[in-house]
Amino acid sequence: MTGGGDSSSGWQSTEAGVLWEPAASQAALAEPDSDLPLRGCFVTGTDTEVGKTAVSAGLLHALGCHGLRVAGYKPVAAGAVWCSAASGPGGHWHNEDVEALHAASNIELTRSEVCPCLLEEACAPHLAARLEGGRIEPRVLIDGARRLMPRCDALVVEGVGGFCVPLVEAEEGSDAEDWGADDLACALDLPVILVVGVRLGCINHSLLTAQAITARGLRLAGWIANRVDPDMTHAQDNIDTLTRALQGRHGAPLLGVVDYLVPVTAARVADQLDLDALLKALGLGD
């Protein structure tokens, strides 16, 4: 991986191949409190490109407007572009998901606190790390969340890809095991919100994902329908079917239906969420 630039403006590359931000605050370097329970939610999706980031930013905006201190957290992001400074030397690494969560958080955060593991290659994280000569470290991802929790009332953690995306592949002959986004969700033990991209095939994808979430002992707190295909026929019928199935099988209520939006903003997404149902689902009510 290549990298570099002004140490105050963004991530730089390490020998391990993972980008990091030298300007991280002292809070980011503090020992994490492993006894403090995490509050908030883990946002996963039925697939990649279903709107997890837009929904996560909307959740942050909605909870922030309710008066909560909120922090967005994207443990792993794959796909970074080097942006040179407008004038003079330097620049920073840019990832759209990280920028969206950073902007929607209402406490002061560095980008490396929002995302401790930023990979340059836009592909599955374990492959990106391998291509860049590095390895994703689970403990870094878990500790990053625990360092943020004392500073906020709710943490919105956005997963990567779908629920079972691998993050670490065990080396052949090693006693270690594979470790993925589902293992990260279990380690954080937050209630899960499922983002459903409403398009052909979403019913099967949703029910399989919900089954995988509950099979790991996690609570599916609710789901959000995101109208990613404005031309989909029978979209409302699909949403109605999933509303009955996810509530009946998993006790997971529908927390909002997000229309196809151009442009997408955190405020516009937040307007389409059921805040009362969200607060109840996450145990964040007054």
Side-chain angles (χ1 to χ4, degrees):
M1 172 180 295
T2 59
D6 185 346
S7 64
S8 65
S9 60
W11 289 270
Q12 293 184 332
S13 61
T14 69
E15 291 181 359
V18 175
L19 300 173
W20 65 289
E21 187 179 32
S25 67
Q26 287 301 115
L29 303 175
E31 192 68 24
D33 186 348
S34 58
D35 296 325
L36 184 67
L38 298 181
R39 301 179 304 276
C41 60
F42 185 96
V43 180
T44 191
T46 47
D47 200 351
T48 190
E49 301 298 327
V50 295
K52 292 191 307 298
T53 300
V55 168
S56 295
L59 290 167
L60 288 164
H61 187 89
L63 295 174
C65 287
H66 186 66
L68 299 176
R69 297 172 303 154
V70 293
Y73 186 57
K74 177 87 174 178
V76 180
V81 178
W82 177 253
C83 298
S84 299
S87 61
H92 67 281
W93 288 99
H94 176 88
N95 174 274
E96 290 184 356
D97 294 357
V98 176
E99 294 299 325
L101 297 187
H102 186 259
S105 302
N106 65 6
I107 66 170
E108 186 174 348
L109 297 169
T110 64
R111 287 174 177 83
S112 63
E113 288 175 313
V114 175
C115 178
C117 181
L118 180 62
L119 299 157
E120 183 178 359
E121 193 71 23
C123 63
H126 71 293
L127 299 179
R130 183 194 304 167
L131 288 170
E132 296 165 30
R135 181 180 184 276
I136 295 171
E137 295 294 341
R139 178 50 55 189
V140 171
L141 310 186
I142 298 167
D143 286 352
R146 295 201 170 280
R147 288 191 180 96
L148 289 178
M149 194 69 255
R151 298 158 56 193
C152 63
D153 301 309
L155 187 65
V156 175
V157 181
E158 182 193 345
V160 55
F163 183 64
C164 295
V165 168
L167 299 177
V168 180
E169 279 190 320
E171 296 180 2
E172 189 173 350
S174 169
D175 292 333
E177 298 181 350
D178 293 348
W179 198 84
D182 51 339
D183 296 293
L184 174 60
C186 289
L188 298 180
D189 197 25
L190 286 164
V192 179
I193 291 180
L194 174 62
V195 178
V196 175
V198 181
R199 59 193 182 199
L200 190 62
C202 67
I203 294 176
N204 181 59
H205 291 163
S206 301
L207 297 180
L208 286 175
T209 304
Q211 184 176 343
I213 291 166
T214 55
R216 293 301 307 269
L218 294 168
R219 181 169 70 88
L220 182 57
W223 69 287
I224 295 169
N226 188 24
R227 297 284 301 271
V228 294
D229 180 359
D231 300 319
M232 181 186 178
T233 58
H234 312 298
Q236 187 58 52
D237 292 333
N238 278 255
I239 293 171
D240 291 344
T241 295
L242 282 172
T243 299
R244 291 190 293 269
L246 292 174
Q247 180 68 60
R249 300 183 190 186
H250 303 284
L254 176 62
L255 303 177
V257 178
V258 180
D259 291 329
Y260 184 78
L261 298 173
V262 179
V264 179
T265 67
R268 294 182 73 186
V269 172
D271 284 343
Q272 300 188 52
L273 302 180
D274 185 337
L275 180 59
D276 290 338
L278 174 64
L279 292 170
K280 181 179 179 181
L282 301 184
L284 296 173
D286 295 331

